[in-house]
Amino acid sequence: MPAAKKTARRRSAIHPDLATLLLTEAQIKRRVRTLAKEIKTAFGDGEFTIVSLINGAIMFTADLMREIDNPVRLDCIRVSSYGAKTKSVGTPSVIASITLDITGRNVLLVDDILDTGKTLNLVAALILKQKPASLRTCVLLDKKSRREVPFQADFVGFDIPDKFVVGYGLDFAERYRNLPCIGVLRPERYNSGSA
Ligand code: 5GP
Ligand code: MG
């Protein structure tokens, strides 16, 4: 079978709406494991509090936490989403804030993807207002070329190009979060009512 046909078959076996497969389930799994080791080196054996940005970081957080054997607390924060769009517009706002007391605690903020930087800037500022002992940030994906406000995560899983990606928690209009891999969504799906 010609290589192109084989690749096309492999892609459609993952999901027909993906134009390109960016990261396989195995690649993600391997990197999550090494990221957990990096985090462990930074935090030592002590307890820390994970603050996860839902819904996007839900899978990443669940997998990352299981690779960390420190005592950890978990809280979630929900920030306004893209909705059925592929670019962030305006300023993000917090829809549901954390409930744990993080004053004097070591905090790890976890998100799926760092894009313009607006979301993490906002959330990091809110967390810092509560005077944690320390704040570090971990993102699975980083689209460095898209940054509009300066923000650097302490732990980055993968640097990726400026493409709209879905899977492994990342959505388009709330779909595709359950894909075990990460891929570039076919542009024709953006405008399709059934996307
Ligand atoms: P920022 O505020 O850095 O522009 O955007 C961060 C948020 O935008 C992420 O938490 C994520 O929800 C969303 N986002 C940015 N790029 C992508 C992408 O390629 N795919 C998906 N599904 N969401 C994205
Ligand atoms: Mg998000």
Side-chain angles (χ1 to χ4, degrees):
M1 190 187 294
K5 213 169 178 181
K6 256 192 193 167
T7 311
R9 267 185 91 174
R10 218 180 320 124
R11 277 180 198 150
S12 63
I14 292 150
H15 197 288
D17 293 355
L18 294 185
T20 325
L21 175 64
L22 205 64
L23 296 164
T24 64
E25 189 175 1
Q27 281 175 309
I28 297 170
K29 205 171 192 158
R30 274 200 300 274
R31 186 62 185 117
V32 168
R33 244 180 230 148
T34 57
L35 262 179
K37 285 199 183 115
E38 289 173 31
I39 289 167
K40 173 108 186 135
T41 304
F43 280 95
D45 293 327
E47 184 183 87
F48 59 94
T49 304
I50 295 174
V51 175
S52 174
L53 275 94
I54 54 173
N55 292 332
I58 202 159
M59 286 205 196
F60 177 42
T61 305
D63 287 344
L64 189 68
M65 281 182 79
R66 279 178 290 189
E67 296 293 334
I68 292 169
D69 56 7
N70 294 49
V72 291
R73 303 191 306 160
L74 174 69
D75 206 343
C76 295
I77 188 162
R78 187 187 289 272
V79 176
S80 55
S81 81
Y82 281 15
K85 295 185 200 81
T86 58
K87 296 276 181 205
S88 83
V89 278
T91 315
S93 57
V94 173
I95 292 170
S97 198
I98 55 168
T99 54
L100 285 181
D101 184 4
I102 52 162
T103 306
R105 304 291 190 136
N106 292 313
V107 174
L108 179 68
L109 184 57
V110 178
D111 202 5
D112 51 0
I113 183 165
L114 183 48
D115 186 30
T116 63
K118 289 181 197 168
T119 303
L120 281 179
N121 240 306
L122 172 85
V123 174
L126 283 176
I127 288 179
L128 287 172
K129 266 193 199 160
Q130 296 190 41
K131 306 225 178 308
S134 68
L135 173 62
R136 293 183 177 92
T137 312
C138 175
V139 293
L140 180 66
L141 308 174
D142 192 351
K143 284 191 208 170
K144 288 203 167 67
S145 63
R146 291 256 313 145
R147 210 74 92 245
E148 288 177 25
V149 291
F151 196 97
Q152 206 176 328
D154 299 286
F155 310 98
V156 174
F158 303 92
D159 285 310
I160 65 160
D162 180 13
K163 302 271 188 216
F164 187 76
V165 295
V166 294
Y168 195 68
L170 291 131
D171 74 313
F172 172 68
E174 290 306 324
R175 298 205 178 91
Y176 308 108
R177 291 197 200 274
N178 56 330
L179 300 186
C181 59
I182 294 174
V184 178
L185 188 62
R186 283 186 188 284
E188 60 264 33
R189 302 308 295 169
Y190 303 160
N191 302 316
S192 155
S194 63

